[in-house]
Amino acid sequence: MYNLEKCRIIDLPKISDPRGNLTFIEASRHVPFEIKRIYYTYDVPGGSDRGAHAHKNLHQLIIAMSGSFDVVLDDGFDQKRFHLNRSYFGLYVCPMMWRYLDNFSSGSVCLVLASSLYDADDYYRDYDAFVKDAGKARK
Ligand code: TYD
């Protein structure tokens, strides 16, 4: 069963260097899934929100590659707000988690590592339908 407790900030390796820091991510070692897809959002206008949806099966790691933003997670019972502002922190988001992103700083870049290819059928776009199924899964 998936719930908010499974979602957490993962500390990624950071090689500090006066020439510029370096972070790397190895599939299945630093993230708890095989990476099948990468996408990123950028040029997000101040004040906009993104990602009001949930996924049935998708695992994701969300990283503020540049700038900062908040990710609000909701498992149908509880909500938690995470502020991401470092490129060596990743927020692991398990399946069955409603999420939206807001509070974008200007020039921020949100990188997402995902466990499968894009599949429109994996989405809940309707919050009430999501809450209903999340409730059923706990019975
Ligand atoms: P979506 O996941 O709905 O983002 P948001 O909820 O923040 O708007 O994606 C927006 C659009 O981009 C949607 O039409 C689907 C498309 N898309 C892809 O084609 N491939 C992808 O990997 C992703 C993430 C989105």
Side-chain angles (χ1 to χ4, degrees):
M1 192 189 55
Y2 293 112
N3 58 32
L4 255 185
E5 282 168 34
K6 298 223 161 40
C7 300
R8 62 188 190 281
I9 298 285
I10 294 177
D11 259 335
L12 299 167
K14 180 182 176 193
I15 312 290
S16 299
D17 190 310
R19 299 169 301 159
N21 301 330
L22 182 150
T23 285
F24 57 95
I25 303 170
E26 294 179 358
S28 301
R29 180 165 171 218
H30 302 112
V31 291
F33 55 85
E34 281 291 336
I35 300 160
K36 289 269 179 61
R37 175 168 54 114
I38 296 173
Y39 65 91
Y40 36 96
T41 52
Y42 49 95
D43 295 343
V44 179
S48 68
D49 290 5
R50 291 221 58 129
H53 61 247
H55 289 281
K56 296 170 189 166
N57 297 303
L58 192 71
H59 299 255
Q60 292 173 303
L61 190 81
I62 303 179
I63 303 170
M65 290 305 280
S66 183
S68 64
F69 50 83
D70 290 358
V71 184
V72 178
L73 298 182
D74 177 340
D75 62 8
F77 293 83
D78 299 301
Q79 276 201 2
K80 193 167 175 187
R81 179 176 284 271
F82 294 86
H83 182 60
L84 296 182
N85 62 355
R86 293 281 181 266
S87 45
Y88 51 86
F89 287 149
L91 175 63
Y92 167 65
V93 181
C94 67
M96 292 304 286
M97 205 55 57
W98 190 268
R99 93 288 312 276
Y100 65 87
L101 287 73
D102 65 8
N103 207 14
F104 286 92
S105 69
S106 72
S108 57
V109 177
C110 169
L111 177 79
V112 182
L113 312 182
S115 64
S116 56
L117 303 184
Y118 176 72
D119 174 9
D121 292 337
D122 187 59
Y123 281 70
Y124 287 95
R125 297 275 183 193
D126 179 67
Y127 182 72
D128 293 338
F130 161 71
V131 170
K132 205 169 146 197
D133 283 358
K136 275 190 214 152
R138 292 220 187 170
K139 280 189 185 142

